[in-house]
Amino acid sequence: MIQKQTVFKFILGCFLFVQLIPLLAQTPEWSESKRKKGIQVLTRPVAGSNIEEFLGKTEVDASISQVIALLVDPQSCKNLYHQCKELTVLSGSEKKSSVYLRNGAPWPVNDRDVIMDRSFDQNDKTLTTTMKMKRLDSNAKSAPSGVTRMPAFEGYWKLTPLANGKLKIEYQAHFEPGGSVPQSVINLVLTDTPYETLLNLKSLVEQGKHKEAKYDWIKEPTVTNPSN
């Protein structure tokens, strides 16, 4: 009886593994589209969409709080985010809010805007801090004339403290622009948006912008001085 149960479990395990293989195969791999000035940009296809997802990576010498302060500062719209024309907090708190974002586009393409939910979370053990963004179906702010509202937008910023004292930055997002946008413009956005934004971030950190920022809900990694 025990032997039959063992055989049955083995067969069931093999069946479940075979069923899992197609699901694993459905996850496309990232391909590198740019690597320059300490910044790496990758893209990958998204099921059911003609627009790829992008992922930008870099490292900076900064505290978690400094980077968060840069990300949420409305003034960072034009200094940090590539092609940003407006960043406005509509409601909420520091950790969770409703935000309006408008991005410019090359003529004759309309600007795009979106209202999104923005929330923060920090892992108690690794101290990895994530800023999640997702489109809200909201009319809290109407799209201006000549601006197309994006039907879909989702992404995140992930800040991970490293053993060398630096902060690993990951900026990942996928969007549906809505309306008609030439593929050439889409390709530029997928590469330029993460690259230029991370390049601006590195520059602002080097300038010391928001270096003294502190948040009571953020725990910073302990800095240890090397022994003499």
Side-chain angles (χ1 to χ4, degrees):
M1 182 67 180
I2 296 177
Q3 185 177 7
K4 289 183 178 180
Q5 290 179 346
T6 302
V7 172
F8 174 75
K9 289 180 180 178
F10 174 77
I11 294 174
L12 179 61
C14 291
F15 173 77
L16 293 175
F17 178 75
V18 170
Q19 296 299 311
L20 183 62
I21 290 177
L23 296 178
L24 296 175
Q26 288 176 6
T27 303
E29 294 185 359
W30 292 100
S31 60
E32 185 176 271
S33 59
K34 190 167 189 174
R35 183 190 289 265
K36 189 177 180 181
K37 295 184 178 180
I39 299 171
Q40 181 186 27
V41 177
L42 307 119
T43 58
R44 69 177 177 184
V46 174
S49 174
N50 294 324
I51 311 296
E52 292 189 322
E53 181 179 24
F54 69 71
L55 170 61
K57 298 181 180 182
T58 194
E59 294 180 11
V60 296
D61 288 305
S63 67
I64 299 173
S65 294
Q66 180 183 8
V67 175
I68 289 177
L70 288 170
L71 295 179
V72 302
D73 184 358
Q75 298 302 318
S76 291
C77 170
K78 297 178 181 178
N79 299 326
L80 172 60
Y81 298 106
H82 183 57
Q83 297 288 4
C84 181
K85 287 189 173 181
E86 182 181 348
L87 177 64
T88 303
V89 177
L90 302 176
S91 62
S93 61
E94 283 184 344
K95 291 189 67 175
K96 185 175 177 61
S97 55
S98 173
V99 180
Y100 173 82
L101 175 68
R102 175 179 174 180
N103 274 7
W107 186 88
V109 179
N110 287 347
D111 287 356
R112 259 55 184 179
D113 73 353
V114 64
I115 295 176
M116 59 186 180
D117 175 79
R118 184 177 71 188
S119 61
F120 288 92
D121 178 69
Q122 183 176 47
N123 185 289
D124 293 334
K125 294 182 179 180
T126 66
L127 303 187
T128 295
T129 306
T130 306
M131 183 178 89
K132 298 179 181 179
M133 306 165 290
K134 188 170 184 179
R135 178 188 178 276
L136 285 175
D137 187 12
S138 168
N139 293 317
K141 183 177 175 67
S142 301
S145 176
V147 176
T148 300
R149 179 141 298 176
M150 290 190 285
F153 178 88
E154 186 169 3
Y156 68 78
W157 283 80
K158 183 181 291 185
L159 320 178
T160 305
L162 301 177
N164 61 6
K166 292 189 176 184
L167 198 63
K168 179 182 178 181
I169 310 292
E170 296 177 87
Y171 173 30
Q172 182 174 336
H174 176 256
F175 62 92
E176 295 292 343
S180 178
V181 182
Q183 189 60 45
S184 59
V185 173
I186 293 295
N187 293 337
L188 281 176
V189 170
L190 291 177
T191 301
D192 289 356
T193 296
Y195 178 77
E196 296 295 339
T197 299
L198 289 174
L199 190 63
N200 291 338
L201 176 65
K202 289 169 71 74
S203 177
L204 291 170
V205 165
E206 291 172 0
Q207 294 170 28
K209 183 73 171 177
H210 292 309
K211 187 175 182 178
E212 305 303 323
K214 301 291 181 183
Y215 293 93
D216 57 11
W217 46 274
I218 287 295
K219 183 178 180 181
E220 299 286 350
T222 303
V223 179
T224 57
N225 294 321
S227 58
N228 295 327

